[in-house]
Amino acid sequence: ATGQTIIDRAMRLIGAVASGESPTAQESADALIALNAMIESWAVDKLLVYAWQTESFTLTPGTGSYSIGSGATFNTTKPIRIEEAYVRESNIDYPIKIVSAPQWAGIADKVTQSNLPEYLYYESGASTGTIQLWAVPNTANALKLVTWVQLAAIASVGTTITLPKGYERALAYNLAIEIAPEFEKEPSKVVMGIAAQSLEFLRRANNRPVMMRPEFMVGGPGYEIESDQ
């Protein structure tokens, strides 16, 4: 698909153009803005994230704060969310608990150092994010981050894009609803129904059951009857 084919279909669905007709260059440009805004909004919906990726970064001894994003200390696409994190030392992975802002603020001593950080707090900024680790790493181990893979913005109407199954239909029908007010059109109940159905199919396909973390599966001290210990 291209940005144009998705836009053309969306505009046909609301009757903004007839079959065989094409929107003007300005109409296509306006629709592309709406399409990219919609894609950006989908990025914060976990059930519309079609994949997770694992990236590896080298920690700097004595440094507990790292920027992440294009051109940042961790030079990559700024993640919308970090789903999981762990440190790899001597080919063994040690999970890191991801904490909220109040939990991070509750850590009074933020300068303690260790070879294995236990907590990670992530703050997503406008262009780059910030990762805070406790304890501060004192070894150049590998930090592994499992992040959401989001649909990329479409650079131009002529840009060719490769989409996971089901996404082209969902984009076209939902874009039709998105742009209808701009073109003074009213989407039909059929279009609205298919738009909602297509999103529901994607959410079902992307649903990942919550798995119990290994550290929670390990019980506390056991009890031996014979020794009473």
Side-chain angles (χ1 to χ4, degrees), residues 222-229:
Y223 174 70
E224 188 179 61
I225 296 175
E226 292 182 0
S227 63
D228 194 28
Q229 298 293 319

Side-chain angles (χ1 to χ4, degrees), residues 164-184:
K165 292 186 185 226
Y167 274 82
E168 184 176 349
R169 177 175 182 247
L171 285 171
Y173 273 84
N174 283 277
L175 178 62
I177 297 173
E178 193 86 10
I179 64 175
E182 295 185 45
F183 291 93
E184 300 182 343

Side-chain angles (χ1 to χ4, degrees), residues 192-203:
M192 294 176 69
I194 294 177
Q197 180 193 61
S198 64
L199 286 180
E200 179 61 25
F201 285 164
L202 293 182
R203 290 188 171 105

Side-chain angles (χ1 to χ4, degrees), residues 67-149:
S67 60
I68 183 169
S70 179
T73 305
F74 294 162
N75 187 17
T76 185
T77 301
K78 181 180 74 72
I80 294 295
R81 174 169 171 168
I82 298 174
E83 192 68 26
E84 295 180 3
Y86 53 94
V87 171
R88 178 166 294 175
E89 182 177 74
S90 301
N91 294 321
I92 298 177
D93 292 336
Y94 298 89
I96 299 176
K97 181 178 177 62
I98 299 174
V99 299
S100 64
Q103 290 172 320
W104 176 255
I107 300 175
D109 179 8
K110 292 184 172 67
V111 298
T112 296
Q113 295 193 12
S114 172
N115 60 321
L116 299 174
E118 296 180 41
Y119 302 114
L120 180 149
Y121 169 61
Y122 176 57
E123 185 173 344
S124 179
S127 57
T128 61
T130 302
I131 290 172
Q132 304 278 4
L133 293 173
W134 187 93
V136 176
N138 59 16
T139 307
N141 285 324
L143 174 66
K144 304 286 185 175
L145 300 177
V146 181
T147 59
W148 293 1
V149 178

